[in-house]
Amino acid sequence: MEITTLPRIVQKNVRDYPNHVAQYSKDKEEVFHPTTFAEMYNEILCYAAGLKEEGIKRGDHVGFISDNRKEWLITSFGLHCLGAADVPRGCDSMAEELAYILSFADCKTAVLENEAQLEKLLPLKSKMPLITTFIIIDNDFDKGKYSSALSGIRVLGYNEVMEKGKGIIAKDGARFIEAEIDLGKADDLATIIFTSGTTGEPKGVMLTHKNIANQAICAPSVLGNKPGDIWLAVLPVWHSFERAVQYITLYGVGALAYSKPIGKIMLADLQKVRPTYIAAVPRIWEALRAGVYRNAAASGKAGALGLFVKIAATHQRMKNLILGRIPQFKRRIVFIDAILAFLPFILLTPLRGLGNALVFKKIKAMLGGRLRAGISGGAALPQAVDAFYGAAGIVIMEGYGLTETAPVLAVRLFKHPVPETIGPQFPNMQVEIRDPDTGKEVKPGQKGVLFAKGVQVMQGYYKKPDETKKVIDDNGWFNTGDIGLRTFRGEIKLTGRAKDTIVLLGGENVEPTPIEDKIRDSIYIDHALVLGQDQKYLAALVLPNQENIETYAKENNITSMDFESLVKTPEIRELIQTEITERVNRKTGFRGFEMIFRSALISKPFEVGKELSGKQDYKRHYITDLYKKEIAELFKE
């Protein structure tokens, strides 16, 4: 069966593997229950029938505000069966943001996870003039108390829609829904995923069934996944990374086990389902590693752990040299590498075996005991974390991509993972690394900006053709805005970001400009540069306003020799941090991960041509290089 649209993935598996498990979901007692592909397909058909009865039709855009759960896939597939597109977002999104997205995306219907989302949106119904229907997944609440606020908007329950669909299928059969699936085309719009723009206004990335399906189809040859695998799902499913993982899992006839990225919950679920794959952001991999070191310290075995990790990491590097898994940014003679590495490899093998028996076996057991590989994406994987898992004998396949590319552009190969890289480009995709000045493709080992072309590049930004033209040229090449280089064997390494978007260690995308603008509202602050790429939190480099700071110091009897000394005093540092916190918080419209946890004060004024461009924009790379010592202190633990 040709996979032209996403529902075809489930149809294929119902035909070939009807009794294989597709989902493991927990009940209120935290017990996992399986759902087979045959059972899931039946639920999808019934829900699609119910949605059709409620007026959902081909070409509709349906809002979808929910976190990970079994019903997420049922809902999304149900919409896709009818030729509708989902417009997803998480429950932690702010009300104003949701109202903007639902209105801008022309949504008439929105599926909400619970009553809390309804309460969040109803006060803003005037900003969503097209909305006529809300479908609530957890619908066990008194809808009557919202009757006046609803003012003509229908509220349906997920089970209500499902039961209606079951009745229709029981009476008329499922053929009329399958006929709708048959009408679907690869270039049909599947989803609009909103991502923040450089001005802070969300942009809707339009992805087709073909954009997303290519990853699912090609993944087994890259990731090594196969029927019967269990994937622990811990990332937000509305993000493009986890969403791609969901389809990769299902196409490979694997099962999704829904968990949460919360230490105790995730560790317990690892023991219950014993997954073979985990896709996670670097923060999660780092947290698991930190937990191992904490346990070792508590039991007085930190020294032994550190020693075995060093031995195993060295042994792994020797093994990589023998197998040709060292990144070749400069040409290497693999035969000589192998000869030089062979003796150390042999000598360290018994010690690594001892480490496996005493230490690493327990780490693998903590992860369920049968983990075949982990996938890391969303931000750069710290080298120390990468080396730790390599030492433990756990394959981590670091990948890279953007929402605009559906998202996977590159990932390490399961059979040939090359550390320090994000692997080669994904099948059916082209990646060029170009000189930012000439636009010409550079040679291996030389840095440049990554451009991508192929079946996964988005249709464009919804209702923003000018923004689309800024990133996709007439030949279909998408400018990722990221800087990297290619090895002589084709693997890619990222070295920085040409655009301003910050990606935190947890995978959260942060646009610094709106935060910086807000901070500069303070009379005590001239400039603020928000930092945090590949870090756990955001920090800021701040240039205070000299006149106002000196006035404040005089009024509060703060003495110093000069301005440089003044900004180093505890009183001024506290003042600036308070000014930042008062402006960047949840009450002023920012999310938890957008708050500034630390700040460093500098005293030298910014100059055009140095810290500032001719348009007074920050020359971020110049500033971060100039103050790299101060910035390093901001993120020191």
Side-chain angles (χ1 to χ4, degrees):
M1 178 185 294
E2 184 182 2
I3 306 299
T4 51
T5 61
L6 297 174
R8 293 291 196 195
I9 294 174
V10 184
Q11 285 187 325
K12 169 186 75 72
N13 291 347
V14 170
R15 181 193 65 190
D16 299 334
Y17 303 93
N19 297 319
H20 273 57
V21 176
Q23 296 174 298
Y24 286 98
S25 53
K26 287 190 284 188
D27 59 22
K28 293 180 180 180
E29 283 71 44
E30 299 292 305
V31 176
F32 280 95
H33 297 277
T35 300
T36 67
F37 278 100
E39 291 168 337
M40 185 173 77
Y41 186 52
N42 182 61
E43 289 187 52
I44 292 168
L45 293 175
C46 290
Y47 194 65
L51 290 171
K52 185 175 177 66
E53 181 69 11
E54 296 299 340
I56 302 298
K57 62 184 184 303
R58 190 166 299 279
D60 282 353
H61 301 164
V62 177
F64 194 4
I65 317 304
S66 175
D67 294 330
N68 293 27
R69 56 189 298 157
K70 174 186 175 182
E71 293 86 353
W72 202 100
L73 266 180
I74 305 300
T75 298
S76 183
F77 273 126
L79 292 169
H80 292 157
C81 287
L82 302 177
D86 56 60
V87 184
R89 208 69 178 176
C91 290
D92 64 345
S93 300
M94 293 174 289
E96 289 282 352
E97 180 183 41
L98 293 178
Y100 171 83
I101 288 171
L102 294 176
S103 175
F104 189 81
D106 303 312
C107 298
K108 298 177 183 177
T109 300
V111 179
L112 311 179
E113 179 163 1
N114 48 38
E115 183 181 4
Q117 306 312 309
L118 181 65
E119 288 182 337
K120 187 190 294 183
L121 286 171
L122 280 181
L124 299 174
K125 65 182 180 182
S126 62
K127 296 186 177 183
M128 303 174 287
L130 296 179
I131 287 288
T132 61
T133 306
F134 286 127
I135 300 173
I136 316 294
I137 296 176
D138 292 333
N139 196 38
D140 53 347
F141 61 91
D142 179 14
K143 290 186 287 185
K145 66 180 182 179
Y146 299 102
S147 57
S148 58
L150 287 167
S151 183
I153 298 177
R154 296 189 306 158
V155 174
L156 306 173
Y158 175 91
N159 288 334
E160 183 181 347
V161 175
M162 180 67 79
E163 290 303 314
K164 185 175 291 187
K166 286 180 180 178
I168 295 170
I169 295 291
K171 179 182 177 182
D172 301 328
R175 183 56 201 147
F176 75 107
I177 296 298
E178 292 179 324
E180 289 282 2
I181 296 174
D182 291 342
L183 293 175
K185 296 180 176 59
D187 289 323
D188 287 347
L189 185 65
T191 187
I192 305 175
I193 301 177
F194 277 79
T195 181
S196 297
T198 55
T199 62
E201 183 179 90
K203 291 183 289 188
V205 176
M206 296 187 290
L207 297 177
T208 66
H209 289 261
K210 179 175 66 177
N211 290 151
I212 300 170
N214 182 68
Q215 295 157 108
I217 296 167
C218 297
S221 65
V222 177
L223 305 179
N225 56 308
K226 56 187 179 182
D229 280 330
I230 298 177
W231 294 63
L232 196 71
V234 296
L235 301 176
V237 69
W238 66 271
H239 281 196
S240 58
F241 177 24
E242 177 62 30
R243 187 154 188 184
V245 168
Q246 305 259 317
Y247 300 118
I248 287 170
T249 302
L250 297 181
Y251 181 87
V253 201
L256 291 159
Y258 300 104
S259 183
K260 294 181 179 180
I262 300 171
K264 290 184 179 179
I265 295 174
M266 185 175 172
L267 287 172
D269 291 344
L270 283 166
Q271 300 304 310
K272 291 176 183 177
V273 302
R274 303 180 65 226
T276 48
Y277 282 84
I278 304 172
V281 292
R283 184 180 63 193
I284 294 176
W285 295 114
E286 187 175 31
L288 290 170
R289 169 179 173 263
V292 171
Y293 277 99
R294 280 196 304 270
N295 291 339
S299 60
K301 298 178 180 178
L305 173 62
L307 177 62
F308 280 121
V309 168
K310 286 181 180 179
I311 291 170
T314 303
H315 182 268
Q316 184 64 37
R317 178 169 175 79
M318 297 303 106
K319 182 178 179 180
N320 288 339
L321 282 164
I322 292 169
L323 297 176
R325 293 179 182 172
I326 297 296
Q328 294 194 29
F329 302 117
K330 296 180 179 179
R331 289 198 179 276
R332 303 177 67 99
I333 302 175
V334 178
F335 179 68
I336 293 178
D337 281 345
I339 291 176
L340 294 175
F342 185 73
L343 183 58
F345 174 79
I346 294 297
L347 293 174
L348 291 173
T349 295
L351 290 174
R352 188 173 191 182
L354 182 61
N356 286 334
L358 297 178
V359 178
F360 302 128
K361 185 178 180 180
K362 295 177 182 178
I363 295 174
K364 292 176 181 177
M366 183 187 76
L367 298 176
R370 58 177 183 180
L371 186 68
R372 189 177 308 128
I375 301 171
S376 183
L381 184 66
Q383 192 168 346
V385 177
D386 196 3
F388 170 80
Y389 287 101
I394 298 169
V395 176
I396 299 291
M397 295 177 284
E398 185 177 9
Y400 158 76
L402 304 94
T403 303
E404 289 88 342
T405 57
V408 185
L409 275 181
V411 65
R412 291 181 197 169
L413 302 178
F414 176 73
K415 293 183 178 179
H416 191 78
V418 178
E420 300 178 44
T421 77
I422 51 172
Q425 64 201 41
F426 206 75
N428 297 327
M429 293 298 294
Q430 296 174 258
V431 172
E432 287 187 358
I433 299 177
R434 301 179 182 176
D435 184 292
D437 296 322
T438 66
K440 295 182 179 179
E441 189 172 9
V442 299
K443 297 177 181 179
Q446 296 180 346
K447 292 182 182 179
V449 179
L450 273 70
F451 283 75
K453 182 179 181 179
V455 297
Q456 290 177 206
V457 175
M458 66 173 178
Q459 282 188 331
Y461 296 118
Y462 186 62
K463 296 197 297 192
K464 292 191 179 228
D466 291 340
E467 292 295 321
T468 302
K469 288 179 181 179
K470 290 179 182 179
V471 294
I472 302 178
D473 66 20
D474 293 339
N475 295 317
W477 284 98
F478 171 70
N479 183 348
T480 70
D482 291 315
I483 299 171
L485 67 163
R486 199 190 294 269
T487 72
F488 280 88
R489 288 194 165 187
E491 297 92 8
I492 300 166
K493 178 182 175 66
L494 293 184
T495 59
R497 302 182 70 80
K499 56 186 179 182
D500 295 339
T501 304
I502 294 170
V503 182
L504 292 171
L505 198 59
E508 301 94 342
N509 286 351
V510 178
E511 298 301 335
T513 304
I515 303 174
E516 291 162 349
D517 290 344
K518 192 70 175 177
I519 293 172
R520 287 200 301 270
D521 284 348
S522 170
I523 63 170
Y524 299 111
I525 298 173
D526 276 346
H527 292 289
L529 190 77
V530 173
L531 309 156
Q533 179 65 35
D534 299 330
Q535 302 292 342
K536 294 180 181 178
Y537 54 82
L538 293 179
L541 192 67
V542 177
L543 176 64
N545 178 281
Q546 184 169 348
E547 181 180 351
N548 291 334
I549 288 293
E550 288 177 343
T551 300
Y552 177 88
K554 185 177 180 179
E555 291 173 348
N556 290 274
N557 299 315
I558 304 170
T559 58
S560 66
M561 296 291 292
D562 51 33
F563 185 59
E564 183 178 358
S565 301
L566 183 59
V567 299
K568 295 178 181 178
T569 62
E571 295 90 344
I572 299 302
R573 290 169 62 184
E574 182 178 354
L575 168 68
I576 295 299
Q577 187 61 44
T578 300
E579 289 289 301
I580 293 172
T581 304
E582 286 179 352
R583 286 159 178 77
V584 182
N585 56 61
R586 291 186 185 276
K587 291 183 179 179
T588 56
F590 293 93
R591 304 184 196 184
F593 61 79
E594 292 176 314
M595 298 177 194
I596 307 299
F597 282 82
R598 292 180 182 176
S599 56
L601 309 190
I602 57 177
S603 57
K604 183 179 179 294
F606 286 0
E607 299 178 34
V608 173
K610 292 184 178 179
E611 293 89 350
L612 303 174
S613 71
K615 296 190 294 182
Q616 300 288 307
D617 293 330
Y618 292 143
K619 296 173 71 174
R620 296 178 187 273
H621 292 291
Y622 178 90
I623 297 171
T624 53
D625 186 62
L626 185 65
Y627 292 101
K628 58 186 175 183
K629 182 179 178 181
E630 290 82 354
I631 292 170
E633 287 295 319
L634 285 171
F635 299 106
K636 184 180 290 185
E637 296 185 8

